[in-house]
Amino acid sequence: MSSPLFLGLDSSTQSLKATAVDAELNVVFELALNFEKDLPQFNTTAGVHHGEDGLTVTSPTLLWVAAMDLLLGRMKEAGFEFGRVKAISGSGQQHGSVYWKKGASGILRNLAPAESLESQLADAFAIADSPIWMDSSTSAQCKALEEKLGGPQAVADLTGSRAYERFTGNQIAKVAVEKKEGYENTERISLVSSFVACLFTGAYAGIDYSDGAGMNLMDIRSKTWAPVAVEATAPGLADKLGEVVPSHADVGGIHNYHVERYGFDPSCRVIACSGDNPCSLAGLGLRRAGEIAISLGTSDTVFAALSEPKPSASEGHIFANPIDPDGYMALVCYKNGSMTREDIRNRAADGSWEKFDAAMASTPKGNEGRIGFYRKEPEITPPILSTGENRFDAHDAAVDSFPPEAEIRAVVEGQFLSMRLHGGNIGIEAQQILATGGASANKAILQVIADVFGVEVYTAARPNSASLGAAYRALHGWRCVDEGKFVSFAEIMESAPSFILAASPDMEAHEVYNSMLKRYAALEVKVMAAAK
Ligand code: 5FX
């Protein structure tokens, strides 16, 4: 008998990744595909379509479906032994929504192994383009929800966050009005995460309570849909949402489609899928107070586990913790993450990371007092829906440009000053930082994080903590099923690899950043006022 495996899949903004671990948490297989490069027929840029209004952002739902067969097919070609997989779980970009057409449950149930998922599900969606987390087009719906529920703090106290444009409830409210027929013809709404579970079980899978917290629809304390929010959002919505399930729940067995087509064992279980940030929290095993994570991907996020939710109406989110049924996580999200760093790299360093790093090395920490704000996309934190750039000299005077090397340092320093400011505002205080995501491989960026926060920064051997976390959660959920009770996640993590010290703080530089932080906060207020 070959040893068991646990498979995690991360359906993110730009890619679909698979990570398989054995029962001792060793990574035995990894593979990823890139939506833009590997599925060019969907004509996306970095996995998405931007609307002409500059605010609407969607992805074709069928792209995600086609990606699943493509990845599983490549895994088969690479000799991955599907028959050893005891359980699968998934991670999905948070907040994105999928609209299953009336009758789609029958299509899912009857999936035939000889045909592709794409051809069989081509007519399964009532709305072809899924709104995703990058969308900022629902300010009117957010305002309406806050008015109906008694203001931003009331919405935050109930759901964990004030109304945010990208949160799924507000997206659904817009769809219900602008695509009325499609909405009425919808039998079930999935998140990207629960959608991944549907593709494996061939049935509608429940939304887990960690990702469900990113919808402005769930009561953050009882972890059930909040009727007042659901009713305020769209007519008939309660019937389209299904159940909220614990993140470690077994949501069904693998569908015969995957048994026949890829060689999965028919006894393989599917564990509830969750959001990419919750899965990263699981992949990093965050639990100690003062241990925080910074994820540097398409979005940048800073998050930490916490025991008592203190939702803020001004910034950040409280989600349910995916590995501790009684716990919570706090998170601050930025839309101007990797793509904005890449944009500055392209403009100031001829598109070369080597030149980018050389610029970081040749400029003084603190950038001689220069501070910059860069919004290639409308920003979430702080909420500024117009794109643009603002630069200030050491005397807080606005300037039009910085020398190229200073521009590079300014984009990096600004991002982490902002994380320290806004994370701190919602109680994310670092004693130690775990960095993850693609850009966590960049030492110059990690050094800025260590210096801004004044603490050590660690990285894992692999930067894909979301798909790894999904694989860990598959093992966790499977153990809970096997033992018929909740098993602590810490027990699962006993054999997890330790982190590597990647950057230690330079305390002199930290002092420089302490005084810059006050200026940064004041300048941000100015930038926000000017952008209105
Ligand atoms: C979190 O709230 C976000 O909106 C993003 O980090 C997405 O999850 C990225 F996929």
Side-chain angles (χ1 to χ4, degrees):
M1 260 274 290
S2 47
S3 59
L5 297 180
F6 301 88
L7 180 60
L9 289 147
D10 175 32
S11 182
S12 73
T13 317
Q14 304 197 43
S15 63
L16 181 66
K17 305 186 194 83
T19 301
V21 298
D22 64 17
E24 283 76 47
L25 303 188
N26 300 303
V27 173
V28 298
F29 186 88
E30 272 185 314
L31 195 66
L33 56 79
N34 177 283
F35 296 150
E36 183 180 325
K37 286 202 202 90
D38 292 305
L39 291 146
Q41 66 275 30
F42 289 93
N43 288 319
T44 64
T45 305
V48 310
H49 291 146
H50 278 85
E52 273 167 22
D53 60 0
L55 297 173
T56 303
V57 186
T58 59
S59 291
T61 313
L62 264 187
L63 160 67
W64 301 331
V65 173
M68 191 57 78
D69 264 336
L70 186 60
L71 183 71
L72 296 173
R74 286 188 186 172
M75 288 171 72
K76 192 173 171 183
E77 273 166 34
F80 180 72
E81 295 172 83
F82 288 98
R84 289 170 60 191
V85 177
K86 289 273 170 209
I88 306 177
S89 187
S91 155
Q93 54 170 309
Q94 295 197 256
H95 319 294
S97 43
V98 168
Y99 299 79
W100 295 99
K101 198 186 247 182
K102 286 187 178 153
S105 57
I107 305 180
L108 272 174
R109 194 169 45 245
N110 295 317
L111 288 172
E115 304 284 322
S116 69
L117 288 174
E118 185 184 354
S119 66
Q120 296 181 82
L121 295 177
D123 196 32
F125 305 108
I127 307 284
D129 295 305
S130 287
I132 66 154
W133 70 275
M134 293 174 77
D135 187 284
S136 322
S137 69
T138 67
S139 298
Q141 287 74 19
C142 290
K143 194 159 168 270
L145 182 73
E146 290 181 346
E147 274 167 10
K148 285 186 203 156
L149 268 61
Q153 189 63 54
V155 177
D157 287 338
L158 180 65
T159 70
S161 306
R162 68 158 168 80
Y164 276 88
E165 278 79 2
R166 69 192 193 289
F167 274 41
T168 326
N170 309 308
Q171 295 292 338
I172 295 170
K174 181 180 163 209
V175 166
V177 173
E178 293 189 359
K179 300 195 168 141
K180 196 165 180 287
E181 209 181 307
Y183 177 75
E184 281 167 2
N185 205 12
T186 296
E187 110 185 330
R188 177 63 77 95
I189 298 173
S190 293
L191 292 180
V192 179
S193 55
S194 60
F195 168 72
V196 169
C198 299
L199 295 183
F200 282 105
T201 57
Y204 293 145
I207 290 175
D208 85 299
Y209 51 40
S210 193
D211 211 13
M215 302 174 80
N216 279 142
L217 292 176
M218 192 189 83
D219 180 329
I220 190 67
R221 288 182 175 77
S222 69
K223 297 173 184 127
T224 54
W225 300 126
V228 52
V230 172
E231 279 154 31
T233 295
L237 179 56
D239 296 337
K240 302 183 198 289
L241 289 175
E243 294 294 310
V244 188
V245 299
S247 307
H248 60 274
D250 176 340
V251 293
I254 189 108
H255 190 277
N256 184 51
Y257 176 88
H258 298 283
V259 174
E260 300 273 323
R261 197 171 170 110
Y262 299 110
F264 276 97
D265 189 279
S267 69
C268 173
R269 304 307 301 175
V270 181
I271 304 302
C273 299
S274 191
D276 50 3
N277 292 292
C279 285
S280 279
L281 182 138
L284 298 169
L286 276 197
R287 55 184 179 274
R288 277 182 288 277
E291 203 174 46
I292 75 166
I294 290 184
S295 168
L296 304 169
T298 311
S299 65
D300 280 353
T301 57
V302 53
F303 55 88
L306 80 166
S307 46
E308 256 315 296
K310 287 191 202 73
S312 158
S314 59
E315 61 225 308
H317 315 295
I318 303 293
F319 299 147
N321 187 316
I323 55 176
D324 170 3
D326 299 320
Y328 298 89
M329 63 185 280
L331 175 138
V332 176
C333 179
Y334 296 88
K335 215 189 283 186
N336 288 285
S338 284
M339 291 199 276
T340 305
R341 285 186 288 274
E342 278 162 27
D343 182 45
I344 299 296
R345 177 205 61 186
N346 294 345
R347 288 190 281 147
D350 302 327
S352 145
W353 283 119
E354 286 72 31
K355 287 190 186 166
F356 186 98
D357 292 350
M360 291 296 290
S362 71
T363 41
K365 293 176 177 184
N367 217 358
E368 296 172 316
R370 297 181 183 94
I371 292 180
F373 296 81
Y374 300 87
R375 296 179 310 283
K376 186 172 150 54
E377 295 280 341
E379 185 47 79
I380 296 165
T381 314
I384 304 182
L385 297 190
S386 59
T387 55
E389 293 173 352
N390 309 83
R391 298 175 188 80
F392 299 91
D393 68 12
H395 309 287
D396 295 347
V399 294
D400 290 335
S401 63
F402 288 154
E405 300 78 33
E407 183 90 316
I408 288 168
R409 182 164 275 283
V411 69
V412 176
E413 289 185 344
Q415 288 176 331
F416 299 109
L417 285 167
S418 180
M419 276 194 190
R420 188 171 150 203
L421 173 69
H422 293 284
N425 285 349
I426 61 160
I428 301 182
E429 297 289 349
Q431 283 164 21
Q432 175 176 311
I433 293 174
L434 306 179
T436 181
S440 66
N442 185 310
K443 291 272 176 199
I445 293 179
L446 297 184
Q447 189 60 49
V448 174
I449 300 178
D451 295 344
V452 167
F453 284 85
V455 300
E456 289 177 337
V457 176
Y458 291 78
T459 51
R462 292 183 166 77
N464 297 334
S465 55
S467 59
L468 181 66
Y472 288 180
R473 292 196 320 95
L475 168 57
H476 179 233
W478 181 78
R479 282 277 305 277
C480 295
V481 173
D482 197 46
E483 297 187 22
K485 60 170 197 237
F486 182 78
V487 176
S488 102
F489 196 78
E491 223 178 277
I492 303 294
M493 291 297 279
E494 268 163 19
S495 48
S498 42
F499 295 97
I500 305 147
L501 178 62
S504 297
D506 159 355
M507 290 320 257
E508 255 174 57
H510 182 56
E511 282 307 315
V512 173
Y513 289 124
N514 283 346
S515 52
M516 248 173 127
L517 188 64
K518 295 188 193 91
R519 287 182 51 227
Y520 185 91
L523 290 172
E524 188 189 85
V525 173
K526 262 196 197 173
V527 168
M528 285 181 76
K532 290 231 160 94

